[in-house]
Amino acid sequence: MPFDIKYTSDFYIIEVDLDADLLQSNWLRPVSVKEMETGGTKLYEVLRDTQGARVLANAQSLGVLPAEAKEWMSSRFYELLSLTQLKKMARVLPENLFHRVALESVVTRADALGVTKFDVRNFTSPTEALRWLDS
C-alpha cells in the first residue's frame, strides 16, 4: 500500500503506510516555535489515530531550533508521543554539526526527564534509519 498523506503544510508533511505500520514525517524547512508545536502535535495526533509503532522522522531541513522549541520538544513533545503505541523512532538529522547536536540534545534531555517511553535513534541517511526500523 502506498503512503497516505495525513497532514501537509508549507513546512511539514506526515504520511502513513498502514500495511507497513510506518509513519514518515518530513520537515521541509526551518520552522518557528509555533510551527514546531503545530507539526509535533499533528504527529502525535496521527500516531494516536493510526496506532502506529514506527516513525521515520526526517529533520534534515530543520535548521536551527529556537530555545523555546527545544524546551517544548524535550518536555512536552516526547511525553505526547509516549502516550501512543510508538515503539521506535528513527530521526534523520541535518548534516550541519551544530544543528545535529542541538537536535540530539533534545532527546538526551527528554530521556533525562524520563518522558521517552520508546526507542529513539539518530541517523545521517533515511536508508540507514529505515534499516534500523525494519530490524
Side-chain angles (χ1 to χ4, degrees):
M1 177 180 190
F3 280 93
D4 181 28
I5 296 174
K6 295 295 186 182
Y7 176 79
T8 187
S9 70
D10 68 322
F11 61 89
Y12 195 50
I13 187 167
I14 301 171
E15 303 172 290
V16 177
D17 181 338
L18 293 174
D19 291 340
D21 191 21
L22 180 64
L23 182 148
Q24 287 185 151
S25 67
N26 192 9
W27 293 101
L28 304 175
R29 61 168 172 77
V31 296
S32 68
V33 174
K34 177 128 178 69
E35 290 168 331
M36 173 59 69
E37 291 176 4
T38 298
T41 302
K42 289 295 181 186
L43 180 62
Y44 158 72
E45 291 169 354
V46 172
L47 277 170
R48 178 197 64 204
D49 295 347
T50 62
Q51 304 211 357
R54 303 179 313 139
V55 170
L56 175 59
N58 191 324
Q60 289 177 304
S61 298
L62 202 50
V64 176
L65 286 179
E68 189 179 340
K70 291 191 292 188
E71 173 62 28
W72 180 83
M73 286 180 69
S74 63
S75 61
R76 186 70 182 133
F77 175 64
Y78 284 97
E79 183 178 48
L80 282 173
L81 296 186
S82 292
L83 298 173
T84 71
Q85 301 298 313
L86 182 61
K87 302 290 184 234
K88 294 171 91 172
M89 175 184 268
R91 300 188 323 156
V92 182
L93 302 183
E95 289 183 23
N96 179 292
L97 181 61
F98 177 74
H99 299 163
R100 188 169 58 240
V101 169
L103 284 169
E104 288 171 348
S105 71
V106 169
V107 173
T108 302
R109 184 156 189 278
D111 285 342
L113 292 171
V115 298
T116 307
K117 308 293 186 215
F118 51 90
D119 290 335
V120 181
R121 298 258 174 96
N122 299 317
F123 298 91
T124 56
S125 82
T127 303
E128 293 172 4
L130 194 54
R131 191 174 304 127
W132 176 73
L133 286 172
D134 287 340
S135 66

